[in-house]
Amino acid sequence: MADGLALLGGSFNPLHTGHVRLALEVLYALPRHIARVELIPCAHPPHKPGSGMLPFALRADMAEAACAPFPLLRVNRLEARRPGYSYTWDTLLEYRQKMPDVPLYFILGSEDLIQIPSWRRGPELPTLADFIVVPRADTAEAAFRKAAHAIWPGAREDEPLASGAMRLRLPRGGSLHYLPLPRLDISATLVRRHWLADRDIRLLVPDPVPAMLDAQRELARRCWAGAPAAAPASPSAVQPNGASHFSVANCPDFG
């Protein structure tokens, strides 16, 4: 029986269908290794200071509502409990300390892999959790190898986790797993642009998201477009069970 845990982090501003589909595809591709996937909304993204970010509670609520139909997908709000910027190193270290015997896998795209040297302690991250690198359709395995060997000289090929995958074991511990999977070419930027233009965003986002955004329309518009906002609606308007409580009169500034 699989006992591994895969982690998918992101700003989720907002969460879109591509995020949920990616989590499910990883589960389906590695059923002997991964028991569930946890989505981790970033509380204070260090790479997006001062940008138009919805309040954490609303982003997390939307993620939870989107994952509710899928019992093997969960949302973890741990980054909201830490002060300061939300660094992947701190998050993975917390998981590793709490789950020392659980195989951990961190999901990222091939476009993120090449940015790892700029992340806090980026080259050390695979010592906490193996990387599952999901390429875009136009990214070849050769490009993955080149990027991996540039960051981790001495990485050597090992037995893959699944057919069609490729594994590189790293000299200081941990592995990179190149895992070609179907990916939906959706971005949160596209969703925000359509929503601000009053276009239909159904199918771009999970079913609960449009109504949750509409319930916080003035707040979302202020965050995403700088428009004046009224006080946010009550939590019960955001999610039927009123799971989260937030009272933000304007868009939070993470600068």
Side-chain angles (χ1 to χ4, degrees):
M1 179 180 294
D3 60 351
L5 174 63
L7 309 172
L8 177 60
S11 300
F12 302 146
N13 186 44
L15 180 109
H16 56 68
T17 306
H19 295 127
V20 179
R21 197 67 234 174
L22 176 59
L24 291 171
E25 293 294 341
V26 169
L27 271 172
Y28 299 155
L30 302 174
R32 296 189 297 109
H33 302 278
I34 296 177
R36 71 179 189 276
V37 178
E38 290 194 358
L39 281 70
I40 308 170
C42 186
H44 308 297
H47 59 295
K48 299 179 181 178
S51 62
M53 197 72 60
L54 294 174
F56 176 86
L58 178 55
R59 290 184 285 121
D61 282 352
M62 289 190 290
E64 288 181 345
C67 292
F70 308 103
L72 298 184
L73 302 185
R74 302 178 187 174
V75 174
N76 193 326
R77 301 182 183 228
L78 81 166
E79 291 193 349
R81 298 193 290 269
R82 293 200 310 263
Y85 285 136
S86 303
Y87 291 105
T88 301
W89 172 267
D90 297 330
T91 297
L92 295 185
L93 181 62
E94 185 172 343
Y95 269 98
R96 178 50 64 210
Q97 290 172 339
K98 291 181 177 179
M99 304 177 176
D101 300 320
V102 174
L104 297 177
Y105 301 90
F106 180 64
I107 304 168
L108 69 164
S110 55
E111 66 276 15
D112 298 314
L113 181 67
I114 61 175
Q115 302 296 329
I116 287 296
S118 68
W119 294 17
R120 172 173 284 190
R121 304 185 70 170
E124 300 175 61
L125 290 172
T127 64
L128 300 176
D130 280 10
F131 280 9
I132 294 178
V133 181
V134 181
R136 293 195 180 277
D138 58 352
T139 305
E141 183 179 308
F144 163 77
R145 289 179 180 271
K146 181 179 179 181
H149 284 289
I151 302 170
W152 296 279
R156 58 182 177 83
E157 194 162 344
D158 203 348
E159 183 178 358
L161 295 183
S163 176
M166 195 263 285
R167 178 178 186 175
L168 290 177
R169 189 175 293 277
L170 305 182
R172 297 182 60 184
S175 293
L176 309 181
H177 305 277
Y178 176 84
L179 188 64
L181 293 173
R183 284 185 63 173
L184 298 178
D185 192 13
I186 301 172
S187 71
T189 300
L190 174 67
V191 174
R192 293 194 298 269
R193 185 166 66 243
H194 282 326
W195 188 85
L196 287 169
D198 292 322
R199 299 172 186 147
D200 199 329
I201 60 172
R202 289 177 296 179
L203 302 183
L204 291 174
V205 296
D207 290 345
V209 170
M212 297 175 76
L213 285 172
D214 286 345
Q216 296 290 338
R217 175 167 290 275
E218 293 300 320
L219 173 61
R221 187 168 291 277
R222 177 162 184 156
C223 288
W224 289 346
S234 65
S236 60
V238 176
Q239 190 171 355
N241 62 9
S244 292
H245 295 264
F246 57 90
S247 54
V248 184
N250 56 7
C251 183
D253 181 359
F254 297 121

